[in-house]
Amino acid sequence: MKKILIGLVRIYQKIISPALPPSCRYYPTCSSYMITALKKHGAILGLIMGVSRIIRCNPFIRGGVDPVPDNFTLRRNPHPERYEDPIIAEAFHKHK
């Protein structure tokens, strides 16, 4: 199930997303977040986290750095600076 969901997101990334204007307010993008959440938390919890992130990505939110947290949550990651990925850490410091 997890592989099927990741495959669907990858199809979106390769076919649908390039045809649309860039609009994600977060880093990593919502589709990348979904894939990471699926890998980290499994099909059900990862899908719930990904959908929650997509709902948060709207014109009324400032956005910014929001990596997938290690623990399941529907809220934005409160401490992106603690994330181990150097690209995310660098992006966080640029947004400060």
Side-chain angles (χ1 to χ4, degrees), residues 6-80:
I6 290 172
L8 290 172
V9 175
R10 293 210 190 276
I11 289 169
Y12 165 80
Q13 287 177 327
K14 290 185 186 269
I15 297 172
I16 299 170
S17 182
L20 302 172
S23 61
C24 189
R25 298 177 172 279
Y26 287 107
Y27 179 87
T29 63
C30 292
S31 59
S32 295
Y33 183 97
M34 175 77 82
I35 290 173
T36 305
L38 289 166
K39 288 179 179 177
K40 217 178 224 191
H41 298 288
I44 295 173
L45 294 179
L47 182 63
I48 292 169
M49 288 179 75
V51 169
S52 175
R53 166 71 175 281
I54 291 168
I55 291 170
R56 286 196 315 265
C57 189
N58 64 66
F60 304 107
I61 300 294
R62 184 175 61 174
V65 178
D66 181 31
V68 177
D70 292 330
N71 299 319
F72 174 79
T73 181
L74 297 180
R75 297 175 184 240
R76 182 179 173 149
N77 189 335
H79 300 290

